[in-house]
Amino acid sequence: MASANEKMGRHLDDDFMDHDDSKMTVKEYLSTRISTLKPPMKRPPNPIKVLGSLSKMNWLMFLLAFLGWTWDAFDFFTVSLTVTDLAEEFGKSKADITWGITLVLMLRSVGSIVFGLAADRYGRKWPWVINNLLFIIFELATGFCNTYEQFLGVRACFGIAMGGLYGNAAATALEDVPPEARGIISGMLQQGYAFGYLLAVVFARALVNTTSHGWRPLFWFGACPPVLLIIGRLFLPETEAYQRRMAMRQDGDGIEKTFFREGKVALKRYWLMLIYLVLLMSGFNFMSHGSQDLYPTMLQNQLQFSANKVTVTQVIANLGAITGGTVVGYCSEVFGRRLSILTMCILGAALIYPYGFLKDERIAAAAFFEQFAVQGAWGVVPIHLMELSPAGFRTFVVGTSYQLGNLVSSASSTIEATIGERFPLPPTASGVKRYVYGKVIAIFMACVFTYLFVLVLIGPERKDRQMTEGDGIEEAVYPTKHDAETGHMREAKGKEEGSLNREISSTESDPKPKQDTVEYKTATAPGGATA
């Protein structure tokens, strides 16, 4: 009987292994974590040629996913940028209004589960269309809210819709791109979020309090671009990877039964990976929220920056984020996913002091490079999650792990603000209380970088994994002897091959006729056993 250590080793083999041809115990696996960081030392590909390798369809899919993720971020930040106006409109405190943000973060995981499963079962197209229809409805509805209760209800519904988009966008953009282009496309896709924030800042300046309708035009405008996203998606097909997956499902006892069996196989093989991905995304979301959410408050309250100086610093920081995500995403194709993330953790940790303690305009440079590191690590996330996820449930796993990590980290700004109140500064001349938020952000980020560094160091990597590989569907389409005697397609294949072998043997002159040879596909079961 295998020991507990060996059993766990098998689980690691199914979920965590970087090389499919090895069987490792936990101890053996951990001993490879440093050696597997060594980059292949290949000559870096020309990024222009890499981007040129994408087909027209690849570019259309990427552009649609990028714009969708960008507008997802835009719609989210519309509330963040109008908190003061919303508080005045509904007669509530700013803290009350931020519950609209908290509800969105809390319910995003619900949307990722619902829309993720729908996209893996029914395709990427129609869940995308429904998702964006809901964006239109809830953004318009927010602009027409007249009470605080209506506002909270609408934003809660918006959170469900928002949670469903990330996994679908990642699958749409990355499933069919050439392996050598995955890193840079992943980095470019992820920075749609930073680009969405920049657009929200620009349009908030242009639309908020510039008409008699106050803050409402920003939300009404936010409902318009999803119309174009819906039209664009209707003209594009399903990804090739999904189409091949559906063709394999049709070979079984029916798409529904095969999809259900796939889920059982994926859960059995990937349970440890799913836990790891949620922990990983918790760290990533703590890193982004911890470095960003309270930073404008620190600039305004602690450093006494004007509104214009805060905006300029934030824009510079987001330009660093966009640059970092694209550059590091590309570099991950050369140096590997884990090594790229680890390097950014070290860089980000080294920049904590200037990011939190400089007291003049020079802090903008620190913000640029700190967000270069933070979003540089994030640039690797979409493709890293795609490569680690089970093929049949890629949208569900990518979206849900991301949103559950977001849920765990949603209290980042509250934690920092609460601790910051323990470090008071002299109040302003008008009596406004001030706090040393920079010190708290620095301490918080040091803990987060350490946590993420350790987790990525011990974690797996499956760079260049084939997006169309079976990954358990053979076991779902052709059940093993533990589930059924044979699958229908296996039986049909056996009869066909047997008949072909008989025809061949009858034409041969060998006096000793050979027995019919029927080759059956083997399915690898958890633990490495085959059937």
Side-chain angles (χ1 to χ4, degrees), residues 218-368:
L218 181 64
F219 293 88
W220 296 335
F221 172 73
C224 298
V227 175
L228 301 177
L229 296 175
I230 291 172
I231 295 173
R233 191 65 187 91
L234 290 174
F235 279 95
L236 293 176
E238 295 289 354
T239 63
E240 293 180 9
Y242 175 78
Q243 292 182 51
R244 283 192 285 267
R245 194 85 184 173
M246 284 298 295
M248 296 179 72
R249 286 172 180 163
Q250 290 171 352
D251 287 345
D253 295 334
I255 295 176
E256 296 293 345
K257 288 184 178 180
T258 303
F259 182 73
F260 181 72
R261 286 199 197 112
E262 276 187 273
K264 292 170 61 178
V265 173
L267 184 61
K268 184 165 56 176
R269 293 185 176 186
Y270 279 84
W271 65 271
L272 187 59
M273 180 69 81
L274 295 176
I275 295 173
Y276 171 79
L277 290 180
V278 173
L279 293 174
L280 180 69
M281 295 317 299
S282 298
F284 268 101
N285 280 290
F286 269 121
M287 181 173 65
S288 57
H289 288 298
S291 65
Q292 296 168 358
D293 290 1
L294 201 65
Y295 205 68
T297 303
M298 185 203 82
L299 296 175
Q300 186 176 22
N301 179 274
Q302 179 183 336
L303 303 186
Q304 294 291 285
F305 278 19
S306 66
N308 283 336
K309 287 178 69 174
V310 172
T311 300
V312 169
T313 304
Q314 287 292 90
V315 169
I316 291 173
N318 277 272
L319 290 175
I322 294 171
T323 305
T326 304
V327 170
V328 179
Y330 165 72
C331 290
S332 74
E333 284 298 326
V334 181
F335 301 106
R337 316 298 187 210
R338 290 166 58 232
L339 184 59
S340 298
I341 295 171
L342 292 175
T343 303
M344 290 302 100
C345 286
I346 295 172
L347 176 61
L351 291 168
I352 285 176
Y353 182 81
Y355 187 66
F357 289 93
L358 288 177
K359 302 185 187 309
D360 52 30
E361 292 81 359
R362 294 177 300 168
I363 202 170
F368 178 93

Side-chain angles (χ1 to χ4, degrees), residues 39-75:
M41 304 305 289
K42 295 179 181 178
R43 184 176 180 179
N46 186 320
I48 304 301
K49 290 184 178 180
V50 168
L51 293 176
S53 68
L54 271 67
S55 67
K56 180 181 178 181
M57 185 58 66
N58 291 152
W59 277 115
L60 290 174
M61 290 289 200
F62 165 76
L63 182 62
L64 184 77
F66 177 83
L67 293 176
W69 185 226
T70 295
W71 215 251
D72 187 302
F74 178 97
D75 288 342

